[in-house]
């Protein structure tokens, strides 16, 4: 099965617009599908291609970048001979896979693009870590795209469903409820997506037999790979990265989801763990969501670096991470989600999937929190804030049994005139109530 990814269309646009004037760097977490989509694009859109995997490249290949870059004619001839691939001017693509493993190749992109004979795509994880850009000049000829786990629509494409999302978008734009039968059907599909997640290997393991156990086994392997990366690339502070990573499910299962560093170690301070949080965020393993102190259209202007929530980049991985020390059969989340008994962990998974869908839309994550012990009426917390129509839009994620939205009411009163539309995301059908647009959680992908 070949998975259809939206990144492919972005690669087509890059090829058309760039016409060889830039290289493209695809950045994303490990196992998110970067190498696969780059190679599929190469096979379909070029006469020939060479894929250089710097995680496995031989000394001979690396020597080309060390000793043969002064003579590009000879460089290309040796590369062509080594990989037994003929290169055609303006009709061949060269892929630098896992380019973070060999930074000199990334620096050389500047001269390869200037030469103009071929197109270049780089893929990598941990691209922005200091150790992976140390002593090199980042080429200005490099365009940068972030790649995320498969979104809900891509998951449905893999299942052979290309009609559901366009219909949902039409209902969303017209602000019309779907009706009980359709909503139940889509909610059932969305629950499967939450549990399986958007890592391509997990999706392929789940389909076509809908085997959650096989998917869970793949996700455990991915989480193990992430831990190995921590040991390899987070030298000097790997223990702090492990402490944060292992504590994410516990932090998200609480009502108050702001990450409390004190839970990691008694008297711990943010500055001690700052590099560890940065590592996980740069690796795109997590999605950090920052507190905004003065909500306005420029959300980043008042974002607090030290007050944040830490979501897993993929909700399927979160499901497995929460019960990593137990066998699949004892993971309560699978049963809880499928049989609507999510009361304990509903907030953890639904907030995480909303964060995931907003990030897949290219949005940075922000929330609003204000504490006032002396005046309780001023206390409020809004799960997410997004920019919309040059204003802000507050988003609350609620359980199916919620009865009130006190924080949202306070926010709307305090910031009247600053927000465009207030949203509540929950597990029921679309409805407009008291000026607040209530959306089924799967419609977060349209915000």
């Amino acid at each position: 099965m070949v998975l259809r990814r939206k990144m492919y269309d972005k690669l087509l646009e890059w090829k058309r617009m760039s016409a060889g004037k830039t290289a493209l760097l695809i950045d994303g977490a490990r196992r998110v599908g970067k190498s696969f989509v780059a190679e599929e694009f190469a096979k379909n859109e070029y006469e020939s291609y060479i894929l250089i995997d710097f995680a496995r490249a031989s000394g001979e290949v690396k020597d080309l970048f060390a000793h043969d870059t002064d003579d590009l004619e000879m460089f290309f001839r040796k590369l062509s001979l080594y990989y037994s691939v003929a290169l055609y001017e303006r009709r061949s693509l060269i892929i630098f896979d896992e380019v973070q493993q060999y930074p000199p190749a990334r620096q050389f992109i500047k001269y390869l693009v200037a030469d103009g004979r071929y197109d270049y795509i780089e893929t990598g994880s941990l691209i922005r870590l200091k150790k992976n850009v140390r002593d090199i000049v980042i080429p200005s000829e490099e365009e940068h795209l972030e790649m995320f786990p498969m979104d809900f629509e891509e998951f449905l494409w893999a299942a052979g469903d290309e009609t559901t999302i366009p219909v949902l978008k039409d209902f969303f734009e017209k602000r019309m409820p779907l009706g009980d039968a359709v909503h139940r059907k889509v909610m059932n599909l969305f629950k499967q997506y939450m549990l399986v997640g958007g890592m391509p290997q997990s999706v392929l393991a789940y389909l076509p037999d809908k085997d959650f156990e096989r998917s869970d086994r793949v996700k455990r392997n991915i989480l193990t790979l992430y831990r190995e990366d921590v040991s390899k690339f987070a030298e000097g502070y790997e223990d702090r990265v492990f402490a944060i990573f292992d504590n994410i499910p516990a932090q998200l299962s609480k009502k108050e989801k702001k990450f409390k560093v004190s839970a990691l170690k008694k008297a711990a301070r943010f500055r001690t763990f700052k590099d560890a949080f940065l590592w996980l965020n740069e690796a795109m393993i997590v999605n950090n969501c920052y507190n905004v102190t003065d909500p306005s259209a420029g959300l980043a202007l008042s974002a607090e670096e030290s007050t944040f929530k830490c979501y897993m980049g993929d909700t399927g991985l979160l499901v497995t991470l929460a019960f990593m020390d137990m066998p699949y059969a004892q993971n309560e989340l699978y049963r809880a989600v499928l049989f609507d008994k999510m009361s304990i962990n509903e907030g953890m998974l639904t907030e995480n999937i909303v964060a995931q869908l907003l990030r897949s839309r290219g949005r940075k994550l922000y929330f609003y929190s204000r504490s006032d012990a002396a005046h309780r009426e001023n206390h409020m917390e809004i799960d997410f804030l997004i920019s919309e129509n040059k204003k802000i839009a507050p988003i609350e994620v609620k359980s199916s049994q919620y009865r009130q939205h006190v924080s949202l009411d306070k926010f709307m009163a305090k910031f009247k005139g600053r927000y465009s539309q207030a949203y509540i995301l929950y597990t029921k059908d679309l409805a407009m109530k008291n000026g607040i647009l209530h959306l089924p959680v799967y419609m977060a992908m349209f915000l």
Side-chain angles (χ1 to χ4, degrees):
M1 180 189 296
V2 176
L3 297 177
R4 179 181 166 196
R5 302 300 303 271
K6 294 178 181 178
M7 178 59 72
Y8 195 100
D9 291 333
K10 294 180 182 179
L11 298 185
L12 284 172
E13 183 181 7
W14 161 75
K15 184 184 180 189
R16 179 176 60 83
M17 297 295 292
S18 169
K21 299 296 190 296
T22 62
L24 182 67
L25 172 65
I26 307 174
D27 183 14
R30 294 258 268 162
R31 293 291 190 265
V32 84
K34 305 180 298 296
S35 304
F36 176 82
V37 74
E39 190 163 14
E40 279 298 301
F41 180 69
K43 289 176 183 175
N44 297 335
E45 308 300 333
Y46 291 86
E47 280 192 41
S48 72
Y49 73 95
I50 291 174
L51 187 150
I52 306 171
D53 182 354
F54 284 106
R56 301 177 180 178
S58 68
E60 293 171 282
V61 171
K62 291 180 180 178
D63 282 346
L64 291 178
F65 290 87
H67 305 299
D68 289 286
T69 54
D70 289 338
D71 184 349
L72 287 180
E73 191 70 44
M74 186 58 65
F75 174 84
F76 290 128
R77 284 185 181 179
K78 287 185 177 182
L79 203 62
S80 177
L81 282 170
Y82 184 87
Y83 286 95
S84 301
V85 173
L87 292 171
Y88 306 100
E89 191 165 331
R90 300 302 321 133
R91 292 173 289 155
S92 294
L93 174 70
I94 300 176
I95 301 170
F96 290 179
D97 197 27
E98 301 291 352
V99 71
Q100 80 282 355
Q101 301 269 24
Y102 194 66
R106 185 179 178 194
Q107 179 170 269
F108 190 44
I109 281 289
K110 174 182 180 70
Y111 304 100
L112 294 174
V113 170
D115 173 73
R117 265 175 269 196
Y118 313 114
D119 285 352
Y120 302 90
I121 290 178
E122 305 162 90
T123 75
S125 308
L126 306 168
I127 283 289
R128 290 164 289 187
L129 289 182
K130 289 180 183 178
K131 67 174 293 182
N132 290 332
V133 295
R134 190 180 297 137
D135 301 325
I136 71 166
V137 177
I138 304 300
S140 58
E141 297 78 9
E142 194 179 76
E143 292 187 43
H144 189 182
L145 287 176
E146 291 183 316
M147 188 168 182
F148 300 98
M150 297 168 67
D151 66 16
F152 185 37
E153 184 169 24
E154 290 172 319
F155 176 81
L156 292 180
W157 286 345
D161 180 348
E162 299 201 8
T163 59
T164 293
I165 298 302
V167 171
L168 292 183
K169 190 167 186 180
D170 189 49
F171 277 83
F172 168 77
E173 290 174 347
K174 292 177 180 177
R175 303 298 195 252
M176 291 174 53
L178 283 76
D180 289 344
V182 175
H183 170 66
R184 275 197 305 272
K185 178 187 175 183
V186 178
M187 218 31 239
N188 183 54
L189 293 169
F190 192 69
K191 288 175 184 177
Q192 295 172 53
Y193 171 63
M194 287 175 68
L195 293 170
V196 173
M199 303 305 278
Q201 287 177 315
S202 176
V203 174
L204 288 171
Y206 177 69
L207 300 172
D209 300 326
K210 297 190 174 180
D211 190 332
F212 286 113
E213 185 172 7
R214 192 182 303 163
S215 162
D216 194 76
R217 194 178 306 122
V218 168
K219 289 185 290 175
R220 286 171 183 269
N221 290 338
I222 294 173
L223 290 168
T224 299
L225 177 67
Y226 285 175
R227 294 184 71 86
E228 291 171 355
D229 282 347
V230 173
S231 298
K232 188 185 300 183
F233 298 112
E235 299 169 27
Y237 50 92
E238 56 265 47
D239 289 346
R240 278 166 276 169
V241 177
F242 283 136
I244 296 166
F245 185 65
D246 293 335
N247 203 245
I248 290 172
Q251 295 274 352
L252 292 178
S253 64
K254 297 173 183 175
K255 183 177 180 181
E256 174 63 72
K257 291 179 173 56
K258 284 186 294 231
F259 202 103
K260 288 183 168 51
V261 178
S262 59
L264 304 176
K265 187 178 179 182
K266 193 173 182 179
R269 295 289 181 267
F270 171 72
R271 63 177 177 272
T272 307
F273 285 84
K274 181 178 178 180
D275 285 344
F277 281 112
L278 179 64
W279 192 95
L280 285 165
N281 196 57
E282 292 295 303
M284 297 178 70
I285 292 171
V286 302
N287 290 322
N288 286 342
C289 181
Y290 296 97
N291 184 40
V292 171
T293 58
D294 183 25
S296 62
L299 291 167
L301 297 175
S302 65
E304 287 184 316
E305 182 186 53
S306 60
T307 308
F308 60 95
K309 297 182 283 188
C310 187
Y311 298 104
M312 280 292 288
D314 181 74
T315 306
L317 290 180
L318 175 61
V319 169
T320 299
L321 180 63
F323 286 81
M324 192 67 174
D325 58 346
M326 298 181 187
Y328 160 78
Q330 294 180 28
N331 190 328
E332 298 171 3
L333 291 177
Y334 286 98
R335 289 189 295 275
V337 171
L338 292 173
F339 293 99
D340 292 321
K341 300 183 183 298
M342 286 177 60
S343 55
I344 296 174
N345 292 295
E346 185 169 26
M348 174 176 77
L349 296 183
T350 50
E351 272 198 43
N352 202 92
I353 197 70
V354 170
Q356 181 178 338
L357 292 177
L358 291 176
R359 281 298 286 132
S360 70
R361 292 269 290 170
R363 291 190 179 277
K364 302 295 185 183
L365 301 180
Y366 302 99
F367 72 104
Y368 179 73
S369 178
R370 179 180 177 182
S371 298
D372 191 338
H375 301 88
R376 187 66 184 169
E377 67 275 10
N378 293 330
H379 177 83
M380 66 182 95
E381 180 147 345
I382 304 298
D383 297 322
F384 298 99
L385 296 176
I386 60 174
S387 296
E388 186 178 77
N389 301 322
K390 297 183 179 180
K391 292 188 175 183
I392 51 174
I395 301 170
E396 280 273 67
V397 181
K398 293 290 188 182
S399 71
S400 56
Q401 306 302 321
Y402 96 94
R403 299 183 182 280
Q404 52 188 352
H405 36 76
V406 177
S407 282
L408 191 56
D409 291 339
K410 291 179 184 177
F411 185 93
M412 292 166 67
K414 181 175 179 62
F415 298 106
K416 191 173 183 179
R418 285 202 205 180
Y419 70 91
S420 55
Q421 173 67 61
Y423 297 97
I424 283 178
L425 296 173
Y426 65 159
T427 56
K428 295 184 178 179
D429 201 355
L430 187 152
M432 180 68 83
K433 302 175 187 177
N434 300 317
I436 300 171
L437 183 56
H438 292 61
L439 296 174
V441 64
Y442 48 77
M443 286 191 178
M445 65 184 299
F446 302 134
L447 296 178

